[in-house]
Amino acid sequence: MNTEEQKRILITGAAGFLGSHLCDRFILEGFHVIGMDNLITGDLRNISHLFKLPNFEFYQHDVSKFVHVPGRLDYVLHFASPASPIDYLRIPIQTLKVGSLGTHNLLGLAKSKSARILVASTSEVYGDPLVSPQSEEYWGNVNPVGPRGVYDEAKRFQEAITMAYHNFHGLETRIVRIFNTYGPRMRLNDGRALPTFIAQALEGENLTVFGDGTQTRSFCYVSDQIEGIYRLLLSDYSLPMNIGNPDEMTMNDMAKEIIALTGNASTVIYEKLPVDDPKQRRPDIEKAKRLLDWTPKINRQEGLQRTIDYYRSLPAEELKQKDFTYYNQR
Ligand code: NAD
């Protein structure tokens, strides 16, 4: 393809779980991909297979500081941010900065390049929701000064400033509200429920459920999430859009299903529920269905099996690095 015609996209958080899958997808679509990451929670191994490609480049940089990218840009995807509670409790100020200052820097960059920008928001903007399922019109129930406030409020600010750039500067913006997503390349020690459960089951240990395990979550397989983001970016819809899988289940059932799929004789043990842990989380995806013609395609069993196979392929000592100290249930 002529380099003049080739679309150029900046992906922040490129070495992370979702960012690395987005790099793969846009490379596959023929884009020139510029990855950016400061590696605070990411891992270069997630994108090491791309380094040999002529249409991939990578900058190690903190996007909370001024961001410069030489040359033309058609799109910006802002995915840099600690995403799991264990991370944002460890680095709360960096979390607030990347959602606020980082977003501001990238909006400025997109404006200067006349690029379209999509920012990664989250179902956490709904907090501990008082309605279920959560549609985009629900304003949320967030405790700004609770331990999760640093993440939730940074993302709410991110949405507000993105809409302000859209309304005031006419910038082309997209906002995806991502619900729990899982799959290969999720860090084993990021404290989230699924990798922890799988690592525990593969190690033949008991699975730790926080609270009584009746709290629910809905998990979306990563390829479905990436497809939804891709479609949203190319759509003309600028208000927030939920992308997730409404297939809701209790943590008890998830733990049992993983035990069954790994074929190990683990059992479930219970620990005290963390502060502000949402009791229920399920996306209303009617808007994505109608406007993007998108629905999740990978069923839970298939997605879990692929994820288990990925973790099985890792060196055995990595399974021991799992960490569920704080918030197992996200
Ligand atoms: P991740 O931790 O795997 O990836 C985030 C990446 O951002 C990491 O590689 C990290 O090093 C990088 N990063 C963090 N701060 C940075 C900074 N200041 N400058 C440059 N790079 C920085 O997390 P993920 O699950 O891939 O999440 C990606 C995005 O999607 C985040 O914005 C997150 O809030 C959002 N999200 C994810 C989920 C999910 O289920 N995975 C759910 C809701 C929202």
Side-chain angles (χ1 to χ4, degrees), residues 199-214:
Q200 288 177 317
L202 289 178
E203 290 260 277
E205 295 172 6
N206 293 330
L207 276 58
T208 320
V209 166
F210 287 75
D212 64 4
T214 56

Side-chain angles (χ1 to χ4, degrees), residues 16-18 37-38 40-42 62-63 79 151 155 181 192:
F17 166 49
L18 293 179
D37 202 298
N38 67 352
I40 197 164
T41 62
D62 178 352
V63 300
F79 276 68
Y151 182 67
K155 292 293 186 179
T181 300
R192 285 186 263 195

Side-chain angles (χ1 to χ4, degrees), residues 12-20 36-43 46 61-65 78-84 87 91 94 97-98 120-124 151 155 158 177-182 185-187 190 192:
T12 75
F17 166 49
L18 293 179
S20 65
M36 189 172 280
D37 202 298
N38 67 352
L39 304 179
I40 197 164
T41 62
D43 189 333
N46 290 335
H61 180 68
D62 178 352
V63 300
S64 299
K65 304 202 170 109
H78 180 30
F79 276 68
S81 171
S84 88
D87 290 330
I91 41 175
Q94 288 94 326
K97 282 169 81 173
V98 74
S121 186
T122 168
S123 55
E124 304 300 326
Y151 182 67
K155 292 293 186 179
Q158 178 184 59
R177 288 187 181 152
I178 301 169
F179 282 67
N180 281 332
T181 300
Y182 72 102
R185 301 187 193 152
M186 272 189 101
R187 250 178 39 235
D190 80 356
R192 285 186 263 195

Side-chain angles (χ1 to χ4, degrees), residues 61-85:
H61 180 68
D62 178 352
V63 300
S64 299
K65 304 202 170 109
F66 180 74
V67 180
H68 170 69
V69 174
R72 185 170 51 82
L73 272 183
D74 300 290
Y75 299 103
V76 175
L77 295 184
H78 180 30
F79 276 68
S81 171
S84 88

